[in-house]
Amino acid sequence: EFRRVLFRSVSHIPVTRLDAEGEKLTVKISGLMGGHSGAEIDKNRANANSLLGKFLHGLDEKTDFELISVQGGQKDNAITREATAEILVLEENADAVREYAASVQGAWREEYAGTDEGITVTVEDEGKQEVRVLHPTSKEKVIFFLVNVPYGVQKMSGTIKGLVETSTNIGILKTSENEVMGSSSIRSSVETARDSLSEHHKVHLQGRKLLFL
């Protein structure tokens, strides 16, 4: 009997904050198909939490910004359809964020043509505000986590054609004052593969990089 066992891996990323003032923007990734992380994981659908990490990483290379929060998903067994990031920028850098959002939206719609071409990236201006932003090191940790946390099919079955053996889904992303939490579901019919993927979350993502404040 073939059975894929569900396992949950929760990552807690401690963060510290600083007071800052600037133009607050809310970046929202929406319009994704979503679906069940077991039944639809092999349909080449995007995960909004993963896309958010790619967005923030790419934006960091384009312009200066401070990170306030990241949020996405309600269930770790559902492919995340929407995710948001609150950021703080100098007023003169706001247009660069909007231009980058338009650029990646076009690129992602092309990348996921036929499976998830409704991807939408919007930037909402919240006005000038004084807020608590993540310390630069904490910002780096969070972006590192989002870019590197595994998502999707990790291995197909070697004995049953077309069958997913091991997969993972970063379904929940939440931010509080002192930490960012990410919850992933890991499914596998092979216990060692499931355990190996779980260890990747714990050791590679948390132990090696994320626990340094």
Side-chain angles (χ1 to χ4, degrees), residues 5-80:
V5 176
L6 175 65
F7 178 80
R8 287 180 172 83
S9 178
V10 181
S11 299
H12 297 277
I13 307 162
V15 298
T16 56
R17 292 183 180 269
L18 303 169
D19 293 323
E21 182 179 350
E23 199 78 12
K24 183 182 175 184
L25 304 176
T26 298
V27 178
K28 184 177 182 180
I29 297 174
S30 62
L32 281 67
M33 288 281 291
H36 190 271
S37 66
E40 276 94 27
I41 200 68
D42 61 342
K43 301 292 191 286
N44 194 36
R45 295 178 184 175
N47 179 300
N49 289 334
S50 294
L51 291 185
L52 189 63
K54 293 178 181 179
F55 179 91
L56 294 172
H57 177 68
L59 182 64
D60 207 28
E61 298 180 342
K62 297 286 185 182
T63 191
D64 293 329
F65 73 94
E66 306 296 338
L67 185 60
I68 304 168
S69 72
V70 289
Q71 200 96 1
Q74 302 292 327
K75 300 177 180 178
D76 54 19
N77 66 350
I79 300 171
T80 310

Coordinates of all heavy atoms in Angstrom, one line a residue, residues 5-80:
V5 N 3.1 10.1 4.2 CA 2.9 10.6 5.6 C 3.1 12.1 5.7 O 4.1 12.6 5.1 CB 3.8 9.9 6.6 CG1 3.6 10.4 8.0 CG2 3.5 8.4 6.5
L6 N 2.2 12.8 6.4 CA 2.3 14.3 6.5 C 3.1 14.6 7.8 O 2.8 14.0 8.9 CB 1.0 14.9 6.6 CG 0.9 16.4 6.9 CD1 1.6 17.2 5.7 CD2 -0.6 16.9 7.1
F7 N 4.1 15.5 7.7 CA 4.8 15.9 8.9 C 5.0 17.4 8.8 O 5.1 18.0 7.7 CB 6.2 15.3 8.8 CG 7.1 15.7 9.9 CD1 7.0 15.1 11.2 CD2 8.1 16.7 9.7 CE1 7.9 15.5 12.2 CE2 9.0 17.0 10.7 CZ 8.9 16.4 12.0
R8 N 4.9 18.1 10.0 CA 5.0 19.6 10.0 C 6.3 20.0 10.5 O 6.8 19.5 11.5 CB 3.8 20.2 10.8 CG 2.5 20.1 10.1 CD 1.4 20.7 10.9 NE 0.2 20.7 10.1 CZ -0.7 19.7 9.9 NH1 -0.4 18.6 10.5 NH2 -1.7 19.9 9.1
S9 N 6.9 21.0 9.9 CA 8.2 21.6 10.3 C 8.0 23.0 10.6 O 7.6 23.8 9.6 CB 9.3 21.3 9.3 OG 10.5 21.9 9.7
V10 N 8.2 23.5 11.8 CA 8.0 24.9 12.1 C 9.3 25.6 12.4 O 10.1 25.1 13.2 CB 7.0 25.1 13.3 CG1 6.8 26.6 13.6 CG2 5.7 24.4 13.0
S11 N 9.6 26.7 11.7 CA 10.8 27.4 11.9 C 10.5 28.7 12.7 O 9.6 29.5 12.3 CB 11.5 27.8 10.6 OG 11.8 26.6 9.9
H12 N 11.2 29.0 13.7 CA 11.1 30.2 14.5 C 12.4 31.1 14.3 O 13.4 30.6 14.7 CB 10.8 30.0 16.0 CG 9.6 29.2 16.2 ND1 8.3 29.8 16.3 CD2 9.3 27.9 16.4 CE1 7.4 28.9 16.6 NE2 8.0 27.7 16.6
I13 N 12.2 32.2 13.7 CA 13.4 33.1 13.4 C 13.4 34.3 14.3 O 12.5 35.2 14.2 CB 13.4 33.5 11.9 CG1 13.2 32.3 11.0 CG2 14.6 34.3 11.6 CD1 12.8 32.7 9.6
P14 N 14.2 34.3 15.3 CA 14.2 35.5 16.2 C 14.7 36.7 15.5 O 15.6 36.7 14.7 CB 15.2 35.1 17.3 CG 16.1 34.1 16.7 CD 15.3 33.3 15.7
V15 N 14.0 37.9 15.8 CA 14.4 39.2 15.2 C 14.5 40.3 16.2 O 13.9 40.2 17.3 CB 13.4 39.6 14.1 CG1 13.3 38.5 13.0 CG2 12.0 39.8 14.7
T16 N 15.3 41.3 15.9 CA 15.4 42.5 16.7 C 15.0 43.6 15.9 O 15.0 43.6 14.6 CB 16.8 42.7 17.3 OG1 17.7 42.7 16.2 CG2 17.2 41.6 18.2
R17 N 14.6 44.7 16.5 CA 14.0 45.9 15.8 C 14.6 47.2 16.1 O 15.2 47.3 17.2 CB 12.5 45.9 16.0 CG 11.7 44.8 15.4 CD 10.2 44.9 15.6 NE 9.5 43.8 15.0 CZ 9.0 43.8 13.8 NH1 9.2 44.8 13.0 NH2 8.3 42.7 13.3
L18 N 14.5 48.1 15.2 CA 15.0 49.5 15.4 C 13.8 50.5 15.0 O 12.9 50.2 14.3 CB 16.1 49.8 14.5 CG 17.4 48.9 14.6 CD1 18.3 49.1 13.4 CD2 18.1 49.1 15.9
D19 N 13.9 51.7 15.6 CA 12.9 52.7 15.3 C 13.4 53.4 14.0 O 14.6 53.6 13.8 CB 12.8 53.8 16.3 CG 12.2 53.3 17.6 OD1 11.3 52.5 17.5 OD2 12.7 53.6 18.7
A20 N 12.4 53.6 13.1 CA 12.8 54.2 11.8 C 11.6 55.1 11.3 O 10.4 54.9 11.7 CB 13.1 53.2 10.8
E21 N 11.9 56.0 10.4 CA 10.8 56.8 9.8 C 11.0 56.8 8.3 O 12.1 56.9 7.8 CB 10.9 58.2 10.3 CG 9.8 59.2 9.8 CD 9.9 60.6 10.4 OE1 10.7 60.8 11.3 OE2 9.2 61.5 9.8
G22 N 9.9 56.7 7.5 CA 10.0 56.8 6.1 C 8.6 56.5 5.5 O 7.6 56.6 6.1
E23 N 8.6 56.2 4.2 CA 7.4 55.9 3.4 C 7.1 54.4 3.6 O 7.9 53.6 3.2 CB 7.6 56.3 2.0 CG 6.3 56.5 1.2 CD 5.7 57.8 1.4 OE1 6.3 58.7 2.0 OE2 4.5 58.0 1.0
K24 N 5.9 54.1 4.2 CA 5.5 52.7 4.4 C 4.8 52.2 3.2 O 3.8 52.9 2.7 CB 4.7 52.6 5.6 CG 4.3 51.1 5.9 CD 3.4 51.0 7.1 CE 2.9 49.6 7.4 NZ 2.0 49.5 8.5
L25 N 5.2 51.1 2.6 CA 4.6 50.5 1.5 C 4.2 49.0 1.9 O 4.9 48.4 2.6 CB 5.6 50.4 0.3 CG 6.2 51.7 -0.2 CD1 7.2 51.4 -1.3 CD2 5.1 52.7 -0.7
T26 N 3.1 48.6 1.4 CA 2.6 47.2 1.5 C 2.7 46.5 0.2 O 2.0 46.9 -0.8 CB 1.2 47.1 2.1 OG1 1.2 47.7 3.4 CG2 0.8 45.6 2.2
V27 N 3.5 45.5 0.0 CA 3.7 44.8 -1.2 C 2.8 43.5 -1.0 O 2.9 42.8 -0.1 CB 5.1 44.4 -1.4 CG1 5.2 43.5 -2.7 CG2 6.0 45.6 -1.5
K28 N 1.9 43.3 -2.0 CA 1.0 42.1 -1.9 C 1.2 41.3 -3.2 O 1.1 41.8 -4.3 CB -0.4 42.6 -1.8 CG -1.4 41.5 -1.6 CD -2.8 42.0 -1.4 CE -3.9 40.9 -1.2 NZ -5.2 41.4 -1.0
I29 N 1.4 40.0 -3.0 CA 1.4 39.0 -4.0 C 0.1 38.2 -4.0 O -0.2 37.6 -2.9 CB 2.6 38.1 -3.9 CG1 3.9 38.9 -4.0 CG2 2.6 37.0 -5.0 CD1 5.2 38.1 -3.8
S30 N -0.7 38.3 -5.0 CA -2.0 37.6 -5.0 C -2.4 37.0 -6.4 O -1.6 37.1 -7.3 CB -3.1 38.6 -4.6 OG -3.1 39.7 -5.5
G31 N -3.6 36.5 -6.5 CA -4.0 36.0 -7.7 C -3.6 34.6 -8.1 O -3.8 34.1 -9.2
L32 N -2.9 33.9 -7.1 CA -2.4 32.6 -7.4 C -3.5 31.5 -7.3 O -4.5 31.7 -6.6 CB -1.3 32.2 -6.4 CG 0.1 32.8 -6.6 CD1 0.1 34.3 -6.4 CD2 1.1 32.2 -5.7
M33 N -3.3 30.4 -8.0 CA -4.3 29.3 -8.0 C -4.4 28.6 -6.6 O -5.5 28.2 -6.2 CB -3.9 28.3 -9.1 CG -4.1 28.8 -10.5 SD -5.8 28.7 -11.0 CE -6.0 26.9 -11.1
G34 N -3.3 28.5 -6.0 CA -3.3 27.7 -4.7 C -3.6 26.3 -4.9 O -3.3 25.7 -5.9
G35 N -4.3 25.7 -3.9 CA -4.6 24.3 -4.0 C -4.1 23.5 -2.8 O -3.5 24.0 -1.9
H36 N -4.4 22.2 -2.8 CA -4.0 21.3 -1.7 C -2.5 20.9 -1.9 O -2.1 20.6 -3.0 CB -4.8 20.1 -1.7 CG -4.6 19.2 -0.5 ND1 -3.7 18.2 -0.4 CD2 -5.2 19.3 0.7 CE1 -3.7 17.7 0.8 NE2 -4.7 18.3 1.5
S37 N -1.7 21.0 -0.8 CA -0.3 20.7 -0.9 C 0.0 19.3 -1.2 O 1.2 18.9 -1.5 CB 0.4 21.2 0.3 OG 0.0 20.4 1.5
G38 N -1.0 18.4 -1.1 CA -0.8 17.0 -1.5 C -1.2 16.7 -2.9 O -0.4 16.3 -3.8
A39 N -2.4 17.1 -3.2 CA -3.0 16.7 -4.5 C -2.5 17.6 -5.7 O -2.4 17.2 -6.8 CB -4.6 16.8 -4.4
E40 N -2.2 18.9 -5.4 CA -1.8 19.8 -6.5 C -0.4 20.2 -6.5 O 0.0 21.1 -7.2 CB -2.7 21.1 -6.4 CG -4.1 20.9 -7.1 CD -5.2 20.5 -6.1 OE1 -5.1 20.8 -4.9 OE2 -6.1 19.9 -6.6
I41 N 0.4 19.6 -5.6 CA 1.8 20.0 -5.5 C 2.6 19.8 -6.8 O 3.7 20.5 -7.0 CB 2.5 19.3 -4.3 CG1 3.8 20.1 -3.9 CG2 2.9 17.9 -4.7 CD1 3.5 21.4 -3.2
D42 N 2.2 18.9 -7.7 CA 2.9 18.6 -8.9 C 2.3 19.4 -10.1 O 2.7 19.1 -11.3 CB 2.9 17.1 -9.2 CG 1.5 16.6 -9.3 OD1 0.5 17.2 -8.9 OD2 1.4 15.4 -9.9
K43 N 1.5 20.4 -9.9 CA 0.8 21.1 -11.0 C 1.6 22.3 -11.4 O 1.0 23.2 -12.1 CB -0.6 21.4 -10.6 CG -1.5 20.2 -10.2 CD -1.8 19.4 -11.4 CE -2.9 18.3 -11.1 NZ -2.4 17.2 -10.3
N44 N 2.8 22.5 -10.9 CA 3.6 23.7 -11.3 C 2.9 25.0 -10.9 O 2.9 26.0 -11.6 CB 4.0 23.7 -12.7 CG 5.1 24.7 -13.0 OD1 6.0 24.9 -12.2 ND2 5.1 25.4 -14.2
R45 N 2.3 25.0 -9.7 CA 1.7 26.2 -9.2 C 2.6 26.9 -8.2 O 3.4 26.3 -7.5 CB 0.4 25.9 -8.5 CG -0.7 25.3 -9.4 CD -2.0 25.0 -8.7 NE -2.9 24.4 -9.6 CZ -4.1 23.9 -9.3 NH1 -4.5 23.9 -8.0 NH2 -4.9 23.3 -10.2
A46 N 2.6 28.3 -8.3 CA 3.5 29.0 -7.4 C 3.0 29.1 -6.0 O 1.8 28.9 -5.7 CB 3.6 30.5 -8.0
N47 N 3.9 29.4 -5.1 CA 3.5 29.6 -3.7 C 3.9 31.0 -3.3 O 5.0 31.5 -3.6 CB 4.4 28.6 -2.8 CG 4.1 28.8 -1.3 OD1 4.3 29.8 -0.8 ND2 3.7 27.7 -0.7
A48 N 2.9 31.8 -2.8 CA 3.1 33.2 -2.6 C 4.2 33.5 -1.6 O 4.9 34.5 -1.7 CB 1.7 33.8 -2.1
N49 N 4.3 32.6 -0.6 CA 5.4 32.9 0.4 C 6.8 32.7 -0.2 O 7.7 33.5 0.1 CB 5.3 31.9 1.6 CG 4.1 32.2 2.5 OD1 3.6 33.3 2.6 ND2 3.6 31.1 3.1
S50 N 6.9 31.7 -1.1 CA 8.2 31.6 -1.8 C 8.5 32.8 -2.8 O 9.6 33.3 -2.8 CB 8.2 30.3 -2.6 OG 8.2 29.2 -1.7
L51 N 7.4 33.2 -3.5 CA 7.6 34.3 -4.4 C 7.9 35.6 -3.6 O 8.7 36.4 -4.1 CB 6.3 34.6 -5.2 CG 5.9 33.5 -6.2 CD1 4.7 34.0 -7.0 CD2 7.1 33.2 -7.2
L52 N 7.3 35.7 -2.4 CA 7.6 36.9 -1.6 C 9.1 37.0 -1.2 O 9.7 38.0 -1.2 CB 6.8 36.9 -0.3 CG 6.8 38.1 0.6 CD1 6.3 39.3 -0.2 CD2 6.1 37.9 1.9
G53 N 9.7 35.8 -0.9 CA 11.2 35.8 -0.7 C 12.0 36.2 -1.9 O 12.9 36.9 -1.7
K54 N 11.6 35.7 -3.0 CA 12.3 36.1 -4.3 C 12.1 37.6 -4.5 O 13.1 38.2 -4.9 CB 11.7 35.3 -5.5 CG 12.0 33.8 -5.4 CD 11.3 33.1 -6.6 CE 11.6 31.6 -6.6 NZ 10.9 30.9 -7.7
F55 N 10.9 38.1 -4.3 CA 10.7 39.5 -4.5 C 11.6 40.4 -3.6 O 12.3 41.3 -4.0 CB 9.3 39.9 -4.2 CG 9.0 41.4 -4.3 CD1 8.6 41.9 -5.6 CD2 9.1 42.2 -3.3 CE1 8.3 43.2 -5.8 CE2 8.8 43.6 -3.4 CZ 8.5 44.1 -4.7
L56 N 11.7 40.0 -2.3 CA 12.5 40.8 -1.3 C 13.9 40.7 -1.6 O 14.7 41.7 -1.5 CB 12.1 40.4 0.1 CG 10.7 40.6 0.6 CD1 10.5 40.0 2.0 CD2 10.5 42.2 0.7
H57 N 14.4 39.5 -2.0 CA 15.8 39.3 -2.3 C 16.2 40.2 -3.6 O 17.2 40.8 -3.6 CB 16.1 37.8 -2.6 CG 17.5 37.5 -3.1 ND1 18.5 37.7 -2.2 CD2 18.0 37.2 -4.3 CE1 19.7 37.4 -2.9 NE2 19.3 37.1 -4.1
G58 N 15.3 40.1 -4.6 CA 15.6 40.9 -5.8 C 15.5 42.4 -5.5 O 16.4 43.2 -6.0
L59 N 14.5 42.8 -4.7 CA 14.4 44.2 -4.4 C 15.6 44.8 -3.6 O 16.0 45.9 -3.8 CB 13.1 44.5 -3.6 CG 12.8 45.9 -3.2 CD1 12.5 46.7 -4.5 CD2 11.6 46.0 -2.3
D60 N 16.2 43.9 -2.8 CA 17.3 44.3 -2.0 C 18.5 44.6 -2.8 O 19.4 45.4 -2.4 CB 17.7 43.1 -1.0 CG 18.4 43.6 0.3 OD1 18.1 44.8 0.7 OD2 19.1 42.9 0.8
E61 N 18.6 44.1 -4.0 CA 19.6 44.4 -5.0 C 19.4 45.6 -5.8 O 20.3 46.1 -6.5 CB 19.9 43.1 -5.8 CG 20.4 41.9 -5.1 CD 20.6 40.7 -5.9 OE1 20.1 40.7 -7.1 OE2 21.3 39.8 -5.5
K62 N 18.1 46.0 -5.8 CA 17.7 47.2 -6.7 C 17.7 48.5 -5.9 O 18.1 49.5 -6.4 CB 16.3 46.9 -7.2 CG 16.1 45.7 -8.1 CD 16.7 46.0 -9.5 CE 16.5 44.8 -10.4 NZ 17.1 45.0 -11.7
T63 N 17.2 48.5 -4.6 CA 17.1 49.7 -3.9 C 17.1 49.4 -2.4 O 17.0 48.3 -1.9 CB 15.8 50.4 -4.3 OG1 15.8 51.7 -3.7 CG2 14.6 49.7 -3.7
D64 N 17.4 50.5 -1.6 CA 17.4 50.3 -0.1 C 16.0 50.3 0.4 O 15.1 51.1 0.0 CB 18.2 51.5 0.5 CG 19.7 51.5 0.1 OD1 20.2 50.4 -0.1 OD2 20.2 52.6 0.0
F65 N 15.8 49.4 1.4 CA 14.5 49.4 2.1 C 14.7 48.7 3.4 O 15.6 47.9 3.6 CB 13.4 48.6 1.3 CG 13.6 47.1 1.2 CD1 12.9 46.3 2.1 CD2 14.4 46.6 0.2 CE1 13.1 44.9 2.0 CE2 14.5 45.2 0.2 CZ 13.9 44.4 1.1
E66 N 13.7 49.0 4.3 CA 13.7 48.3 5.6 C 12.5 47.4 5.6 O 11.4 47.7 5.1 CB 13.6 49.3 6.8 CG 14.7 50.4 6.8 CD 16.1 49.9 7.0 OE1 16.2 48.8 7.5 OE2 17.0 50.6 6.6
L67 N 12.6 46.3 6.3 CA 11.5 45.3 6.4 C 10.8 45.4 7.7 O 11.5 45.4 8.8 CB 12.1 43.9 6.2 CG 11.1 42.7 6.1 CD1 10.1 42.9 5.0 CD2 11.8 41.4 6.0
I68 N 9.5 45.5 7.7 CA 8.7 45.6 8.9 C 8.1 44.2 9.2 O 8.2 43.7 10.3 CB 7.5 46.6 8.7 CG1 8.1 48.0 8.4 CG2 6.7 46.7 10.0 CD1 7.1 49.0 7.9
S69 N 7.4 43.6 8.2 CA 6.8 42.3 8.5 C 6.6 41.5 7.2 O 6.6 42.1 6.1 CB 5.4 42.5 9.2 OG 4.5 43.0 8.2
V70 N 6.4 40.2 7.3 CA 6.0 39.3 6.2 C 4.8 38.5 6.7 O 4.8 38.1 7.9 CB 7.1 38.4 5.7 CG1 8.2 39.3 5.0 CG2 7.8 37.7 6.8
Q71 N 3.9 38.2 5.8 CA 2.7 37.4 6.2 C 2.2 36.7 5.0 O 2.1 37.2 3.9 CB 1.6 38.4 6.7 CG 0.6 37.8 7.6 CD 0.9 38.0 9.1 OE1 1.9 38.6 9.5 NE2 0.0 37.5 9.9
G72 N 1.7 35.4 5.3 CA 1.1 34.7 4.2 C 0.6 33.3 4.6 O 1.2 32.6 5.3
G73 N -0.6 33.0 4.1 CA -1.2 31.7 4.3 C -1.8 31.4 5.7 O -1.5 32.1 6.7
Q74 N -2.8 30.5 5.7 CA -3.5 30.1 6.9 C -3.3 28.7 7.3 O -3.4 28.3 8.5 CB -5.0 30.4 6.7 CG -5.4 31.8 6.3 CD -5.2 32.8 7.5 OE1 -5.3 32.4 8.6 NE2 -4.8 34.0 7.1
K75 N -3.0 27.8 6.3 CA -2.8 26.4 6.6 C -1.6 25.9 5.9 O -1.3 26.3 4.7 CB -4.0 25.6 6.1 CG -5.4 26.0 6.7 CD -6.5 25.2 6.0 CE -7.8 25.6 6.7 NZ -9.0 24.8 6.0
D76 N -0.8 25.1 6.6 CA 0.5 24.6 6.0 C 0.2 23.5 4.9 O 1.1 23.1 4.2 CB 1.5 24.2 7.0 CG 1.0 23.2 8.0 OD1 0.0 22.5 7.7 OD2 1.6 23.0 9.1
N77 N -1.0 23.0 4.9 CA -1.3 21.9 3.9 C -2.0 22.6 2.6 O -2.5 21.8 1.8 CB -2.1 20.8 4.4 CG -3.5 21.2 4.9 OD1 -3.8 22.4 4.9 ND2 -4.4 20.2 5.2
A78 N -2.0 23.9 2.6 CA -2.6 24.6 1.4 C -1.5 25.4 0.7 O -0.7 26.1 1.4 CB -3.7 25.5 1.8
I79 N -1.4 25.4 -0.6 CA -0.4 26.2 -1.3 C -0.9 27.6 -1.2 O -2.0 28.0 -1.6 CB -0.4 25.7 -2.8 CG1 0.0 24.3 -2.9 CG2 0.6 26.6 -3.6 CD1 -0.1 23.7 -4.3
T80 N 0.0 28.5 -0.7 CA -0.3 29.8 -0.3 C -0.7 30.7 -1.6 O 0.1 30.8 -2.5 CB 0.8 30.5 0.4 OG1 1.2 29.6 1.5 CG2 0.4 31.8 1.0

